[in-house]
């Protein structure tokens, strides 16, 4: 029997468990387990065929005690208010875990980006900003790209905001193209950030990356750059699962002696789908979409979707797997955490592992506000420092208090946010 998971309920369950163990008072728990502000709105868009289509948009601010809300906008046909709420909540914990002075936010638009023309996409992006521009701003709420959106979308959004307000505010949105206020290193930041954290963990365990193998879900922005850096360090990616637009199915591409990441990047499209026919010509085995999870590897890297590691699939995970590196948001369901813990698999939890994106977005905003831009080496050095520091704090707490890594990350994040709420006198 399949179980339906609601990401918002998952996020609240994870929060409740840690809040209880921290002994947070009832008022604080009540406040932190729900968003502070939500906007639900419609966006009418003139389509190329002359009709007008109405899209549903969301923007959620979960918590702004530590700074302005920060979080991407997802463009997805199955976007829901609950997904956006969950992701906004995870952004609060993510920013607090890496200790950047930002709160948690998220946005979404129910739409199917591959089916929209560039003109329709531009009108949708501008329409989104027109509905909520007075709630945005580098001191209030700063969106960014996420699933289905890209730097061009962010630039249209920034331009709409600046047109409405009549001045230059590049820091209103991050993930812009380089040269138009974007930061060097932002494209790589989330995937590289995952591997900075993984590298620190392997180091502490006395394992060299060259001796490890991995299997991953996704070959989009996060997965591609995680795979690039992991293989540059000497690790081998044995299998990659991704969605195939052409036949609306997922496939796993497998090469026992290791995938050639640069070669696969050459045959993927803008939505992170690998061309099946070309992959077969290059000698890749093509397996069902969920085969990535059953591979005999040392590290599993879910870098695509939420709710992928569940009690139903857990028994099919190879006993060889020792590390679960969560590049995606919410890839593991809370009812699977006890099984992972019992088997002794080390989790690099999502809101630590994939925090490189928001950390670099923060750097982008700092550069925008200074109107002075760093070179890529400087950005990546700062990113590695921030990610490694956050990892060490979480790992140290997990060792000293014998906590599961996810719980240790939650303890650090929730304590920081609760403290900010208390200091402000809100509770
Ligand atoms: P993306 O849109 O660039 O890529 C998504 C990938 O998932 C694609 O390769 C797609 O083929 C694959 N996919 C979709 N459905 C699939 C399925 N059923 N089976 C297998 N593969 C499937 O997205 P992204 O930016 O790489 O984000 C991936 C995840 O990471 C999301 O959970 C996102 O919220 C999270 N995240 C992204 C960033 C960022 O900076 N991009 C930052 C933090 C977290």
């Amino acid at each position: 029997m399949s179980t339906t998971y609601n990401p918002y309920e998952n996020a609240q369950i994870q929060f409740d468990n840690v809040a209880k163990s921290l002994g947070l008072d009832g008022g604080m728990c009540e406040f932190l387990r729900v968003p502070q502000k939500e906007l639900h709105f419609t966006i009418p868009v003139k389509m190329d065929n002359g009709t007008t289509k109405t899209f549903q948009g969301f923007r959620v601010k979960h918590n702004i005690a530590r700074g302005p809300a920060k979080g991407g906008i997802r463009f997805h046909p199955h976007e829901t208010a609950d997904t956006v709420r969950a992701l906004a909540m995870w952004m609060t914990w993510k920013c607090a875990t890496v200790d950047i002075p930002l709160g948690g936010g998220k946005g979404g638009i129910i739409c199917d980006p591959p089916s929209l023309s560039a003109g329709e996409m531009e009108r949708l992006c501008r329409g989104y900003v027109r509905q909520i521009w007075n709630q945005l701003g580098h001191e209030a709420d700063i969106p960014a790209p996420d699933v289905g959106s890209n730097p061009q979308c962010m630039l249209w959004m920034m331009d709409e905001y600046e047109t409405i307000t009549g001045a230059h505010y590049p820091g209103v949105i991050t993930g812009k193209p380089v040269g138009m206020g974007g930061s060097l290193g932002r494209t790589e930041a989330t995937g590289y950030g995952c591997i900075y954290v993984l590298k620190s963990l392997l180091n502490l365990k006395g394992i060299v990356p060259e001796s490890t193998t991995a299997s991953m879900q996704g070959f989009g922005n996060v997965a591609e750059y995680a795979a690039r850096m992991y293989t540059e360090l000497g690790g081998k990616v044995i299998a990659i699962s991704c969605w195939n637009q052409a036949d609306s199915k997922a496939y796993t591409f497998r090469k026992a002696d290791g995938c050639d990441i640069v070669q696969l990047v050459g045959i993927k499209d803008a939505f992170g789908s690998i061309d099946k026919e070309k992959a077969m010509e290059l000698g890749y085995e093509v397996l069902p979409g969920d085969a990535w999870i059953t591979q005999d590897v040392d590290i599993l890297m879910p870098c695509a979707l939420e709710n992928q590691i569940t009690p139903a699939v857990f028994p099919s995970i190879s006993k060889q797997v020792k590390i679960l590196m969560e590049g995606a948001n919410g890839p593991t369901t809370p009812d699977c955490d006890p099984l992972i813990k019992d088997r002794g698999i080390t989790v690099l939890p999502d809101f630590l592992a994939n925090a490189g994106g928001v950390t670099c977005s923060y750097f982008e905003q700092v550069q925008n506000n200074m109107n002075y831009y760093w070179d890529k080496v400087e950005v990546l050095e700062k990113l590695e420092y921030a990610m490694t520091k956050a990892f060490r704090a979480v790992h140290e707490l997990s060792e000293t208090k014998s906590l599961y890594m996810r719980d240790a990350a939650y303890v650090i994040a929730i304590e920081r946010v609760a403290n900010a709420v208390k200091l402000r006198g809100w509770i």
Side-chain angles (χ1 to χ4, degrees):
M1 201 179 71
S2 76
T3 313
T4 311
Y5 291 97
N6 176 322
Y8 184 43
E9 284 169 12
N10 289 352
Q12 288 186 316
I13 292 168
Q14 288 169 346
F15 169 76
D16 290 343
N17 289 341
V18 177
K20 207 186 299 165
S21 75
L22 278 175
L24 279 194
D25 77 69
M28 183 68 81
C29 290
E30 204 181 312
F31 181 66
L32 291 181
R33 71 192 301 284
V34 293
Q36 282 188 255
K37 190 178 264 190
E38 287 194 13
L39 300 163
H40 295 206
F41 48 94
T42 53
I43 312 163
V45 173
K46 295 249 181 335
M47 306 301 279
D48 291 348
N49 64 7
T51 62
T52 299
K53 194 167 156 55
T54 298
F55 293 87
Q56 173 73 47
F58 308 99
R59 188 73 193 165
V60 173
K61 293 181 197 181
H62 171 258
N63 190 283
I64 54 165
R66 285 174 47 89
K70 182 87 194 82
I73 304 172
R74 289 163 47 107
F75 290 53
H76 197 274
H78 303 131
E79 195 59 281
T80 66
D82 274 352
T83 310
V84 180
R85 290 179 183 119
L87 290 161
M89 195 162 171
W90 284 321
M91 283 304 292
T92 301
W93 313 136
K94 196 181 292 193
C95 293
T97 304
V98 280
D99 207 8
I100 53 180
L102 295 168
K106 205 78 182 184
I109 304 177
I110 304 175
C111 68
D112 179 32
S115 71
L116 298 175
S117 71
E120 289 165 345
M121 196 69 171
E122 176 175 354
R123 293 190 287 280
L124 181 59
C125 289
R126 290 183 184 277
Y128 185 91
V129 171
R130 276 201 299 278
Q131 297 305 319
I132 59 164
W133 69 273
N134 60 356
Q135 296 289 322
L136 302 179
H138 68 271
E139 288 154 339
D141 184 5
I142 310 116
D146 204 299
V147 173
S149 51
N150 58 32
Q152 175 65 72
C153 298
M154 299 305 110
L155 193 60
W156 286 324
M157 289 182 162
M158 180 197 82
D159 184 68
E160 190 66 22
Y161 183 83
E162 292 186 343
T163 304
I164 294 168
T165 54
H168 281 282
Y169 294 109
V172 68
I173 203 154
T174 61
K176 302 176 293 293
V178 171
M180 290 301 296
S183 175
L184 290 166
R186 175 62 187 90
T187 308
E188 298 88 344
T190 308
Y192 278 14
C194 290
I195 304 304
Y196 292 145
V197 164
L198 175 67
K199 194 169 78 170
S200 303
L201 175 68
L202 292 176
N203 232 331
L204 284 178
K205 286 180 180 277
I207 301 171
V208 288
E210 294 93 313
S211 68
T212 65
T213 52
S215 174
M216 64 204 311
Q217 187 188 41
F219 203 49
N221 174 262
V222 178
E224 175 190 327
Y225 286 96
R228 280 179 184 268
M229 179 168 275
Y230 173 68
T231 50
E232 277 161 20
L233 292 174
K236 265 189 202 163
V237 177
I238 301 300
I240 298 174
S241 169
C242 62
W243 189 251
N244 190 288
Q245 312 290 346
D247 45 6
S248 294
K249 259 168 97 173
Y251 293 102
T252 299
F253 299 90
R254 184 177 186 279
K255 211 169 225 185
D257 58 353
C259 302
D260 179 335
I261 302 305
V262 175
Q263 187 183 57
L264 288 179
V265 169
I267 59 164
K268 80 166 195 173
D269 67 13
F271 302 100
S273 296
I274 293 171
D275 187 309
K276 194 168 58 143
E277 275 67 41
K278 288 188 183 150
M280 280 157 75
E281 280 166 25
L282 292 168
Y284 285 85
E285 266 178 88
V286 180
L287 306 171
D290 53 6
W292 73 279
I293 214 167
T294 62
Q295 301 299 311
D296 287 326
V297 289
D298 307 302
I299 307 163
L300 281 185
M301 302 185 180
C303 296
L305 306 168
E306 59 270 16
N307 300 334
Q308 299 302 295
I309 316 282
T310 64
V313 303
F314 187 78
S316 66
I317 293 179
S318 163
K319 295 281 187 297
Q320 192 185 324
V321 172
K322 289 284 169 282
I323 298 171
L324 176 63
M325 192 222 70
E326 299 182 334
N329 286 316
T332 304
T333 58
D335 52 1
C336 203
D337 275 326
L339 305 176
I340 297 169
K341 209 187 302 188
D342 279 358
R343 220 200 254 180
I345 296 173
T346 305
V347 173
L348 291 170
D350 51 2
F351 63 90
L352 167 66
N354 70 29
V358 71
T359 305
C360 196
S361 284
Y362 166 60
F363 295 159
E364 178 175 333
Q365 214 200 359
V366 170
Q367 294 170 80
N368 290 155
N369 293 346
M370 293 189 302
N371 207 7
Y372 174 76
Y373 291 84
W374 307 327
D375 65 27
K376 193 164 172 177
V377 174
E378 191 172 355
V379 173
L380 293 178
E381 270 173 13
K382 284 182 164 66
L383 181 65
E384 182 162 13
Y385 176 77
M387 295 301 293
T388 308
K389 190 169 151 214
F391 165 79
R392 288 207 184 117
V394 172
H395 187 264
E396 195 178 307
L397 185 68
S398 133
E399 291 282 298
T400 50
K401 302 262 173 173
S402 299
L403 288 175
Y404 184 52
M405 283 283 279
R406 190 186 316 283
D407 294 344
Y410 261 116
V411 165
I412 288 176
I414 293 173
E415 276 184 337
R416 283 180 181 158
V417 176
N419 195 33
V421 169
K422 242 187 262 163
L423 286 172
R424 282 178 181 274
W426 290 351
I427 303 281

